Amino acid sequence: MDIQTATALRRLRLVSAPEAVSFLILLLCSVLKRTTDFNAVPVMGAIHGLLFVLYVVFWADAWNRAKWGLKTAALYFVLSVLPTGGFFAERKLRREAEDAVIAARARKEGVVNA
C-alpha cells in the first residue's frame, strides 16, 4: 500500500467516528426540539452536514486510491448513513490498516512474497 492510499484511508477512518457521534447528537437534538423548548438542531445539523460531506469526500478518495470493488465502496457508504455505522467503518478501517502494516513488515523481513 502506498502512502497516498494509506493517508486516504486514515482520513476516512478519522472522520468516521465523529460523523457517527454528530449523527446521534443530531437525532437527540431532534427529539429534544419536539419535546422541550431546546432547539440545537440548526447548529448540530450544520456540524453533522459538514462532517458528512467530509466523510463522502474522503470516502470517494479512498475508493479511488484503494481500488475497492463496488461492494466494499457501497458498504462504507451505507455505513455513513446509519446512525452508528461510522463506528463500524472506523473499526473495519483500523483493522485493514493494522493488517497492511503486518503484511508490510512480513514482506520486509522476507517472510511473505506478497
Side-chain angles (χ1 to χ4, degrees):
M1 178 181 306
D2 66 346
I3 191 72
Q4 284 123 356
T5 303
T7 302
L9 294 173
R10 180 174 168 78
R11 279 192 306 251
L12 181 60
R13 184 176 66 83
L14 291 177
V15 79
S16 295
E19 190 271 338
V21 169
S22 72
F23 194 177
L24 293 174
I25 294 172
L26 179 60
L27 291 175
L28 176 65
C29 289
S30 295
V31 170
L32 291 174
K33 176 183 176 184
R34 285 159 181 71
T35 58
T36 67
D37 292 334
F38 183 74
N39 184 10
V41 171
V43 174
M44 276 313 300
I47 292 169
H48 174 66
L50 175 68
L51 289 170
F52 181 74
V53 168
L54 282 174
Y55 184 96
V56 171
V57 168
F58 293 159
W59 165 81
D61 186 38
W63 182 10
N64 181 41
R65 293 186 187 277
K67 307 292 186 228
W68 288 334
L70 186 59
K71 184 177 176 181
T72 301
L75 170 69
Y76 283 117
F77 187 79
V78 167
L79 288 174
S80 75
V81 296
L82 298 175
T84 58
F87 299 121
F88 295 106
E90 191 277 333
R91 186 176 352 162
K92 187 167 175 44
L93 288 164
R94 184 172 18 97
R95 284 184 186 153
E96 287 180 19
E98 290 169 355
D99 290 346
V101 168
I102 291 169
R105 286 181 183 161
R107 280 191 302 272
K108 183 178 179 182
E109 294 173 4
V111 176
V112 177
N113 292 333

